[in-house]
C-alpha cells in the first residue's frame, strides 16, 4: 500500500503529464526545473513506468547516484532498476579493478544485450568515462553451457584460460575457476554466486550455483548463459563508449551537461598523464582506446532524447517543463517547530507525510506526538498535532510539492541522522565488518584494510568533502600516515585477528610490504590446504575397523534413557553409528550448545565400541 501511495503523489501533476508527452513526441532536448530531493526519483519512476522506454540517469557523483538508486529500487523494484558503476578503484589505473563493481557493470551489459523489457540504469561520470566492449565482441567472447550438452571439460578449461580467467584451487572471487576431476567451479562476472558444473564423461550432468563460504548448493540451473570476463575487455582492442551500447530510443536524464563534460575531461587528463608515466607497460598505449573524451560524450548525447534537470527557472528555447517543489525545512530536532509546521500545512490544505525507515521509527513519531498532545512532554507542552500520516518507506531527501499540495518529510532529516545508501556488493558482502562491530572498536584497536594492510583505528570523524560533511573512519598507518575511509566502504576493513599479545607490524601507506605479505600468506594457505587434502586422501586409502550393527545390549542401554531423543540427537547418533560400521576410519565432530545432549550421543558411541571388544577413553 505504501509504495502505491508514494507513486501516486505526482500522478495528477500537469507538469508530469507534459514531461510524458514530450518524451512520447521524441523531443530532442527537454529541460526540467523545480525538482529537489527525492521528488526527482518519484517523477523519474512514474515517467519510466508510463513511457515503457529504457532510461539512463546520469547523476553528478557516485554518492548521489546511489541515493537516487535506492529510491528508484524501492519505487520500481530491483528487477527494473540497475546500477552502472566504474570498474576501477581509481578511474585511470586499469590494474586496480573492483570486482563487486565489475559484476554490476556486467549485469547491465547482459541485460541490454538480452533484449528483455526496458530497464532504468543509474550511473555517474566515472562509470561513463570507461569504454566497453562492443555487442559483437561481448557475444563472441561469451561461453554458453546447457544441461546435457556434449562438451569436453578440457575444452572449457582452455576457453576459460583464453577469457583470462585465473585457475585456482578454490574459487573465491569473480574471474577464477577450478577443476577437480569431473567438477568445474567457475566464478563468472555475470552472477553474484559461482557456478558448479558436473560432467559425466563429456556430458554436462548438472549446473548449479553454490555458496563460497559453505560450499553448499543454492539453485539448480538448466543453462549457464553468461560466463564472459569483463576484465578481458581491456585487452580486446575493440571498445566503444557506453552510450553507443544502449538502445537509440533510450531517454537520457542528466543533472548538468557542462559539469558532466568537465568531469570527463578532468578524468581523461589524469588518464593521459598516467599512461605517459607507465612508459609503454600498458598494452593499449593510447588512452582514447580505453576511455571516453568530453567531445565524444557530447556528440553521443546529441543522438538521444535528453532530459536535463535544473534547479533554477528556465529561459532557453528548448522544451521547458517546470515543477514547483522546495526542500524539506530544517527543524534542528525541535519538535515544537515541527508540530507548528505540520499544523500550518494542515490549515493551508496540504497533506503531511512522514517517511520512516522502519515500523519502529513510525511508532516513535506517534508516541512522541501523543506525549506532546497529552501534555506529558515539556518540549511541546500545549501543542496539538495536526493531521499527518507516517509511511514506512525510506526516502533520500524530503520535499514540499506546492502543485500537488503534499508535504513529504523524512525521519532521518527530522532527527538529523546520517542516511546510509545500500549498494549491491556481490561476493564482498561476506567479508564486511558490521556497524555493530564498528561501534565496539576502541581507538587504538588494530584494523586490517584489504588494500592497505594493518592500521590503528582512530575513531569516527566528520570530514569536509567538496563542501559536504561526511562521516569517515580514521585509520592511522606507519610514519603518521592517515587514511579516511567512507562508512560506505566497511566491506574493505575487518578487525585484526592475530596472536594474543603480539603487536602487528604497521607499514607506511603505499608500501609494497602489504602486497608481498598477502602473496606469501596465500601461498602458505595453499600449502596447508594441499597438505590437508593429501592427509585426507591417505585416510581414504586406509582400512579401519568396521563395527557390528547394534546388538540387543545396545538397544537395552538406549531404552534406559529417561528422555526421548531430540531430532538432532537422533540424526547425530545415526551418523556416528554409520561411520563406525564403515571400514573407512571415522573422522567426526559432534557440536552442540551446553545441555543439548552431546554426552548421550557420546555414551551410545562409547558403549558400541565396548560392545565390540574395544577400549574407550572419555576425557
Amino acid at each position: 500500500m505504501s509504495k502505491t501511495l508514494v507513486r501516486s503523489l505526482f500522478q495528477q501533476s500537469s507538469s508530469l503529464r507534459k514531461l510524458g508527452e514530450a518524451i512520447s513526441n521524441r523531443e530532442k532536448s527537454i529541460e526540467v526545473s523545480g525538482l529537489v530531493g527525492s521528488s526527482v526519483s518519484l517523477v523519474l519512476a512514474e515517467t519510466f513506468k508510463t513511457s515503457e522506454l529504457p532510461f539512463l540517469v546520469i547523476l553528478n557523483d557516485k554518492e548521489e547516484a546511489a541515493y537516487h538508486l535506492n529510491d528508484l529500487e524501492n519505487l520500481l523494484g530491483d528487477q527494473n532498476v540497475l546500477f552502472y558503476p566504474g570498474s576501477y578503484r581509481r578511474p585511470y589505473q586499469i590494474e586496480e579493478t573492483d570486482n563487486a563493481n565489475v559484476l554490476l557493470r556486467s549485469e547491465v551489459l547482459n541485460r541490454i544485450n538480452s533484449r528483455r523489457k526496458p530497464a532504468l540504469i543509474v550511473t555517474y561520470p566515472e562509470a561513463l568515462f570507461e569504454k566497453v566492449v562492443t555487442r559483437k565482441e561481448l557475444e563472441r567472447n561469451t561461453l554458453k553451457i546447457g544441461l546435457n550438452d556434449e562438451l569436453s571439460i578440457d575444452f572449457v578449461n582452455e576457453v576459460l584460460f583464453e577469457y583470462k580467467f585465473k585457475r585456482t584451487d578454490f574459487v573465491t572471487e569473480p574471474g577464477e575457476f577450478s577443476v577437480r576431476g569431473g567438477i568445474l567451479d567457475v566464478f563468472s562476472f555475470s552472477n553474484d554466486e559461482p557456478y558448479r558444473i558436473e560432467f559425466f564423461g563429456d556430458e554436462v550432468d548438472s549446473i548449479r550455483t553454490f555458496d563460497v563460504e559453505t560450499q553448499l548448493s543454492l539453485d539448480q540451473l538448466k543453462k549457464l548463459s553468461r560466463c564472459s570476463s569483463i576484465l578481458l575487455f581491456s585487452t580486446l582492442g575493440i571498445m566503444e563508449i557506453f552510450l553507443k551500447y544502449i538502445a537509440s530510443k533510450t531517454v537520457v536524464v542528466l543533472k548538468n551537461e557542462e559539469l558532466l563534460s568537465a568531469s570527463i575531461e578532468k578524468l581523461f587528463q589524469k588518464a593521459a598523464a598516467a599512461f605517459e608515466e607507465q612508459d609503454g607497460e600498458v598494452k593499449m598505449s593510447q588512452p582514447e582506446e580505453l576511455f571516453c573524451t568530453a567531445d565524444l560524450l557530447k556528440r553521443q548525447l546529441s543522438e538521444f532524447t535528453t532530459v536535463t534537470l535544473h534547479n533554477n527557472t528556465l529561459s532557453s528555447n528548448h522544451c521547458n517543463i517546470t515543477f514547483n517543489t522546495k526542500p524539506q525545512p530544517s527543524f534542528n530536532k525541535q519538535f515544537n517547530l515541527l508540530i507548528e509546521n505540520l499544523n500550518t500545512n494542515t490549515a493551508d490544505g496540504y497533506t503531511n507525510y512522514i517517511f520512516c525507515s522502519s515500523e519502529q521509527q513510525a511508532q516513535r513519531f506517534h508516541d512522541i506526538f501523543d506525549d506532546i498532545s497529552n501534555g506529558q512532554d515539556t518540549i511541546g507542552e500545549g501543542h496539538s498535532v495536526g493531521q499527518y500520516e507516517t509511511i514506512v518507506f525510506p526516502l533520500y531527501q524530503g520535499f514540499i510539492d506546492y502543485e500537488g499540495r503534499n508535504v513529504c518529510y523524512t525521519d532521518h532529516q527530522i532527527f538529523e541522522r546520517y542516511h546510509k545508501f545500500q549498494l549491491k556488493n556481490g561476493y564482498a558482502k561476506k567479508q564486511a565488518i558490521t556497524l555493530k562491530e564498528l561501534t565496539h572498536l576502541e581507538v587504538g584497536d588494530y584494523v586490517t584494510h584489504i588494500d592497505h594492510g594493518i592500521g590503528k583505528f582512530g575513531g569516527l570523524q566528520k570530514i569536509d568533502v567538496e563542501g559536504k560533511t561526511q562521516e569517515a573512519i580514521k585509520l592511522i598507518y606507519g610514519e603518521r600516515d592517515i587514511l579516511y575511509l567512507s562508512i560506505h566502504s566497511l566491506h574493505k576493513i575487518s578487525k585484526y585477528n592475530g596472536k594474543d599479545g603480539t603487536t602487528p607490524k604497521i607499514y607506511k601507506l603505499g608500501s609494497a610490504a602489504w602486497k608481498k605479505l598477502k602473496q606469501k600468506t596465500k601461498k602458505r594457505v595453499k600449502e596447508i590446504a594441499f597438505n590437508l587434502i593429501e592427509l585426507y586422501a591417505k585416510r581414504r586409502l586406509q582400512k579401519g575397523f568396521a563395527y557390528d550393527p547394534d546388538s540387543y545390549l545396545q538397544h537395552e542401554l538406549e531404552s534406559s534413557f529417561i528422555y526421548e531423543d531430540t531430532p538432532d540427537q537422533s540424526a547425530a547418533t545415526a551418523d556416528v553409528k554409520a561411520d563406525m560400521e564403515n571400514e573407512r576410519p571415522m573422522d567426526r565432530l559432534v557440536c552442540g550448545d551446553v545441555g543439548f545432549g552431546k554426552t548421550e550421543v557420546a555414551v551410545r558411541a562409547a558403549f558400541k565400541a565396548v560392545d565390540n571388544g574395544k577400549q574407550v577413553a572419555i576425557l
Side-chain angles (χ1 to χ4, degrees):
M1 179 62 192
S2 59
K3 185 186 289 189
T4 307
L5 174 61
V6 177
R7 280 173 39 180
S8 69
L9 290 176
F10 280 92
Q11 276 182 352
Q12 304 305 317
S13 166
S14 59
S15 300
L16 180 71
R17 190 165 56 253
K18 288 177 187 174
L19 177 59
E21 289 170 357
I23 289 172
S24 298
N25 295 333
R26 305 300 291 162
E27 294 276 358
K28 270 296 181 184
S29 183
I30 306 166
E31 303 215 0
V32 176
S33 68
L35 287 176
V36 298
S38 288
S39 66
V40 173
S41 302
L42 269 66
V43 167
L44 286 178
E46 194 57 33
T47 309
F48 169 76
K49 185 176 171 243
T50 53
S51 70
E52 297 184 345
L53 292 170
F55 271 51
L56 176 66
V57 182
I58 308 169
L59 283 309
N60 290 333
D61 54 49
K62 184 177 181 179
E63 183 175 297
E64 186 182 41
Y67 280 125
H68 283 291
L69 172 80
N70 287 169
D71 279 354
L72 291 163
E73 284 176 332
N74 290 331
L75 290 162
L76 296 169
D78 294 349
Q79 297 302 312
N80 297 315
V81 182
L82 300 174
F83 187 50
Y84 186 72
S87 61
Y88 306 127
R89 289 172 187 162
R90 277 170 283 185
Y92 45 84
Q93 295 201 354
I94 62 173
E95 71 278 3
E96 294 188 13
T97 55
D98 188 323
N99 281 341
N101 285 354
V102 173
L103 275 170
L104 294 173
R105 286 173 70 88
S106 179
E107 181 182 13
V108 171
L109 296 183
N110 288 336
R111 174 65 173 270
I112 295 169
N113 219 31
S114 67
R115 293 177 177 82
R116 286 163 58 194
K117 68 177 183 176
L120 187 151
I121 301 166
V122 180
T123 189
Y124 53 97
E126 284 85 350
L128 293 179
F129 173 60
E130 301 170 36
K131 288 187 176 181
V132 297
V133 71
T134 62
R135 283 174 180 267
K136 186 178 179 181
E137 286 298 319
L138 175 64
E139 191 67 26
R140 194 171 68 83
N141 288 279
T142 295
L143 178 63
K144 298 180 181 180
I145 301 174
L147 205 59
N148 302 320
D149 281 358
E150 288 288 334
L151 202 63
S152 163
I153 196 169
D154 292 331
F155 169 75
V156 178
N157 186 53
E158 288 175 15
V159 170
L160 290 172
F161 271 126
E162 186 183 332
Y163 286 179
K164 307 301 180 186
F165 275 72
K166 182 182 177 185
R167 182 164 178 171
T168 59
D169 295 329
F170 300 96
V171 299
T172 57
E173 60 181 64
E176 294 181 344
F177 78 100
S178 69
V179 179
R180 296 184 304 281
I183 298 174
L184 168 72
D185 289 347
V186 57
F187 208 146
S188 164
F189 282 92
S190 60
N191 198 51
D192 286 345
E193 305 292 351
Y195 298 100
R196 177 160 289 159
I197 306 157
E198 289 194 39
F199 289 81
F200 185 76
D202 283 345
E203 184 179 312
V204 177
D205 193 45
S206 73
I207 304 172
R208 58 186 187 271
T209 55
F210 69 95
D211 185 278
V212 170
E213 287 186 334
T214 65
Q215 294 290 303
L216 296 176
S217 297
L218 299 173
D219 296 310
Q220 293 281 350
L221 304 172
K222 291 185 177 179
K223 63 179 179 179
L224 185 162
S225 59
R226 291 285 173 205
C227 196
S228 54
S229 167
I230 300 299
L231 289 176
L232 173 64
F233 297 166
S234 62
T235 65
L236 285 174
I238 306 172
M239 312 283 284
E240 64 186 10
I241 184 173
F242 179 68
L243 292 176
K244 266 197 168 184
Y245 199 91
I246 61 178
S248 59
K249 62 182 179 180
T250 301
V251 178
V252 178
V253 182
L254 49 92
K255 274 289 192 80
N256 187 322
E257 189 174 341
E258 290 181 6
L259 184 62
L260 175 62
S261 295
S263 299
I264 295 293
E265 185 60 33
K266 188 177 178 181
L267 289 167
F268 190 82
Q269 287 173 2
K270 285 185 177 180
F275 270 57
E276 286 177 12
E277 288 174 9
Q278 288 177 4
D279 225 11
E281 289 180 13
V282 179
K283 290 180 182 178
M284 288 185 181
S285 56
Q286 297 302 317
E288 291 88 350
E289 297 181 53
L290 291 177
F291 303 120
C292 173
T293 63
D295 288 340
L296 177 60
L297 182 76
K298 196 170 184 178
R299 287 199 304 272
Q300 286 300 132
L301 279 174
S302 65
E303 296 181 13
F304 295 91
T305 292
T306 57
V307 178
T308 308
L309 305 176
H310 296 272
N311 293 327
N312 304 320
T313 306
L314 305 171
S315 59
S316 68
N317 296 321
H318 296 99
C319 175
N320 297 338
I321 297 163
T322 303
F323 288 84
N324 192 5
T325 67
K326 290 289 186 290
Q328 172 177 334
S330 177
F331 300 107
N332 299 314
K333 291 184 275 191
Q334 296 182 43
F335 276 85
N336 56 332
L337 294 178
L338 173 62
I339 290 166
E340 286 175 11
N341 183 269
L342 294 176
N343 288 337
T344 302
N345 294 339
T346 302
D348 292 341
Y350 287 80
T351 305
N352 295 311
Y353 297 106
I354 299 177
F355 288 81
C356 304
S357 56
S358 64
E359 289 283 359
Q360 292 83 357
Q361 196 72 346
Q363 187 59 47
R364 186 180 177 189
F365 276 104
H366 291 297
D367 293 342
I368 290 171
F369 290 151
D370 286 346
D371 288 346
I372 291 172
S373 297
N374 297 329
Q376 298 173 17
D377 194 317
T378 56
I379 293 175
E381 194 172 350
H383 288 77
S384 61
V385 185
Q387 292 182 340
Y388 71 95
E389 183 177 346
T390 55
I391 302 176
V392 180
F393 193 95
L395 275 187
Y396 167 36
Q397 286 180 344
F399 59 91
I400 302 170
D401 175 23
Y402 291 101
E403 183 188 356
R405 305 188 82 75
N406 292 313
V407 174
C408 301
Y409 293 160
T410 67
D411 60 339
H412 62 88
Q413 285 176 284
I414 292 171
F415 288 111
E416 293 187 347
R417 288 195 342 269
Y418 186 75
H419 182 54
K420 190 178 186 302
F421 59 73
Q422 300 287 334
L423 285 179
K424 184 178 173 185
N425 205 21
Y427 77 101
K429 62 184 180 289
K430 294 166 185 168
Q431 303 167 7
I433 186 172
T434 63
L435 285 169
K436 186 178 178 182
E437 290 171 331
L438 185 65
T439 57
H440 286 92
L441 284 176
E442 295 182 2
V443 174
D445 283 353
Y446 293 105
V447 173
T448 305
H449 190 290
I450 192 169
D451 298 323
H452 302 290
I454 301 164
K456 280 187 179 179
F457 179 67
L460 288 170
Q461 291 197 358
K462 289 187 176 179
I463 60 173
D464 186 74
V465 180
E466 296 180 351
K468 293 181 182 178
T469 301
Q470 294 187 9
E471 211 162 14
I473 301 157
K474 182 181 179 182
L475 299 179
I476 304 163
Y477 286 84
E479 298 184 23
R480 297 183 181 179
D481 283 352
I482 292 175
L483 174 71
Y484 287 104
L485 182 78
S486 167
I487 66 167
H488 297 301
S489 299
L490 285 179
H491 64 278
K492 294 196 172 187
I493 63 170
S494 59
K495 190 170 181 181
Y496 169 76
N497 291 311
K499 293 179 182 176
D500 291 341
T502 305
T503 304
K505 178 77 174 174
I506 298 179
Y507 299 101
K508 187 178 184 299
L509 275 176
S511 166
W514 174 246
K515 189 176 179 181
K516 289 177 182 176
L517 182 63
K518 282 204 297 185
Q519 290 172 345
K520 185 178 177 182
T521 305
K522 282 182 180 178
K523 184 181 177 184
R524 182 66 184 135
V525 168
K526 283 183 179 180
E527 288 173 0
I528 293 170
F530 177 80
N531 291 336
L532 281 172
I533 291 167
E534 190 176 43
L535 173 66
Y536 277 87
K538 287 178 180 177
R539 286 179 66 88
R540 292 290 289 264
L541 295 173
Q542 294 291 325
K543 189 174 180 180
F545 178 81
Y547 290 84
D548 295 331
D550 289 354
S551 66
Y552 78 97
L553 287 172
Q554 185 81 26
H555 293 304
E556 203 166 310
L557 168 82
E558 294 182 9
S559 63
S560 69
F561 287 117
I562 300 172
Y563 300 106
E564 187 179 344
D565 283 358
T566 64
D568 284 348
Q569 276 182 306
S570 298
T573 302
D575 288 343
V576 168
K577 286 179 179 177
D579 280 356
M580 293 177 74
E581 291 170 15
N582 197 306
E583 285 188 344
R584 190 179 300 152
M586 183 167 76
D587 183 16
R588 182 172 288 276
L589 177 68
V590 178
C591 300
D593 216 335
V594 175
F596 277 74
K598 297 187 297 294
T599 305
E600 291 189 17
V601 176
V603 167
R604 286 172 167 84
F607 189 86
K608 188 177 182 72
V610 171
D611 192 27
N612 278 260
K614 299 294 181 182
Q615 290 185 326
V616 178
I618 296 179
L619 306 180

